[in-house]
Amino acid sequence: MDNKKKIELLKLSAIGCINEDDQATLNSLMLEDENFPWNELGEFQNLAALIPSSLVIETPNWELKDKVARKLYNLRDEIKSQQKQKTTVEQPVETSDQLINESGEAISIEDSGLELTSADDIELPVEEKISNESVVEGEVELPQTNVKHSVDRELIERTTKDYIDSHFEKEIKSTQKNIKKSLLLSLILFVISLLLIVFMFFKFSGDLDSKQEEINVLKKRLGISHLQSSNKSINLI
Amino acid sequence: MAENNKLSDSELMLKVAGYDSKALEQLYDRYSPILYTLINRILNDKKIAEEVLSDVFVIIWKKIDQFEFKTNNVYTWLVTIARNKAINTLKRKKLNMAPKEDDEKYDDETILPKLSTLITPLNLEQILNNGDKVKETINSLTEAQRYVLELSYYEGLNENEIAKKLKIPLPTVKSKLLLALGILQQKLETEEVKNG
């Protein structure tokens, strides 16, 4: 295939417009062709990725961030359940250099008087050999998957924990802020109302005193006029 | 979080590869607007676009080991994943098929991009600042070229499907597309647009 045709294919592939057959051809070229135009492929992949920058950029709903976090959390559970299924298959068989005698006591192989024969020395029927081989293959593969998944699980657990912790931290911080704000506000309100009460107290007590004085003055006046009128009546008599 | 704010995209990706959730959060803050805009343009449904965007971040989280740290092109990797996932969802929606359940092999084959080993990294901030230039260049294409380009990029139609839809010969579709790409390449090749 000439270079022009290759570039044509990679342009169509970069823009996502290539049909399945041409994509398969391109894939095999990428694997086999030593002179594959990788630079041009990169250039057109970058060019295609620039297209969305021409759109008016919108921001997704802020709640979506939490939704993504929840998805990661569910992912952890999923891996956990996968892990459980694996562990039932992967239960390690405990091996021991001891045998149990008829009375239930443990005795070493040397003491048992048995001769150990290597597995290769034992003649097995062909079917059994094959099944043994497949068992050995399975045993070799399983620990690898176990390690990978346990690492994944730990990492995802740690990550999800970090994420949740950071969210809780944020919430706690914002709640603490709110509490501080409301405390300050209530303190201010309390001081204002206290001042009002003190002001009212002094104002009313002042008023009361002046009224009391007025009453006393009036009473005095009334007493004097009463005396004067009684004197007058005595004089008349 | 503030620390991550100063990190470059590739440094963030390294942290995400170590399953640092705060780095992923920062990556989300940086990239979710452009990815959401692209997905929403393809699907034209805000609710589904949000679903797909969250799927995209789950894929990033699960498939970070497939990111090529040698070339470090975070922008093109993320945009292509988002586009592929959205197109995939659109096609399934058109065929009334249920959304694809998590299938790692399927994701590897259809969603994850196979970027060139010699691709140069792009700068998100610079690209967003030059969005108007890209828009101008796309608008400078003829209506037919633009339409064919949009059918391909935003609707995920291949050359045969476009030819069938527009009832025009396949070579015409190809030539229009290749010409449109040529013009875009010529006008946007300046380093100013991509890397500043």
Side-chain angles (χ1 to χ4, degrees), chain A residues 8 15 17 19 22 38 42-43 45-46 48-49 51 53 56 58 61 65 67 71-72 155 158-159 170, chain B residues 18-19 21 25 29 33 37 50-51 54-55 61 73 75-76 114 116 120 131 153 159 177-178 185 189:
Chain A
E8 205 175 278
I15 201 77
C17 190
N19 62 48
D22 284 347
W38 290 103
E43 216 169 284
Q45 284 173 330
N46 274 344
I51 294 173
S53 70
V56 180
E58 290 174 79
N61 194 334
K65 205 170 168 180
K67 204 173 173 185
K71 275 203 174 186
L72 293 178
L155 286 169
R158 194 189 70 203
T159 304
K170 273 182 197 170
Chain B
Y19 292 93
S21 60
E25 204 179 329
D29 289 342
T37 305
E50 285 182 354
E51 283 285 326
S54 66
D55 285 345
W61 188 244
N73 193 329
Y75 175 85
T76 304
K114 293 166 185 74
S116 166
T120 49
Y153 193 76
E159 47 193 338
L177 257 175
L178 295 175
Q185 186 200 20
E189 209 182 21

Side-chain angles (χ1 to χ4, degrees), chain B residues 58-164:
Chain B
V58 170
I59 291 172
I60 295 166
W61 188 244
K62 283 164 82 177
K63 298 288 176 184
I64 187 70
D65 57 324
Q66 298 205 28
F67 175 71
E68 188 52 77
F69 283 97
K70 278 183 194 167
T71 49
N72 255 333
N73 193 329
V74 182
Y75 175 85
T76 304
W77 198 67
L78 297 184
V79 166
T80 315
I81 290 178
R83 189 228 168 224
N84 290 349
K85 183 73 187 168
I87 292 292
N88 189 266
T89 310
L90 182 74
K91 286 184 175 173
R92 298 186 79 80
K93 200 176 142 192
K94 277 182 183 169
L95 295 169
N96 275 330
M97 289 163 82
K100 187 81 186 163
E101 291 299 318
D102 283 348
D103 182 341
E104 299 209 2
K105 201 181 166 195
Y106 182 82
D107 283 350
D108 288 353
E109 284 168 5
T110 59
I111 310 295
L112 290 180
K114 293 166 185 74
L115 294 187
S116 166
T117 49
L118 296 177
I119 198 166
T120 49
L122 300 182
N123 181 309
L124 171 70
E125 205 183 332
Q126 195 65 36
I127 288 167
L128 292 179
N129 288 339
N130 288 299
D132 287 341
K133 281 182 189 170
V134 179
K135 194 176 181 178
E136 263 174 44
T137 312
I138 291 173
N139 286 339
S140 74
L141 300 173
T142 66
E143 203 178 327
Q145 286 167 350
R146 200 167 54 241
Y147 190 47
V148 169
L149 187 77
E150 284 182 358
L151 282 178
S152 140
Y153 193 76
Y154 292 125
E155 294 193 26
L157 301 184
N158 67 34
E159 47 193 338
N160 300 326
E161 290 165 332
I162 295 172
K164 202 176 163 187

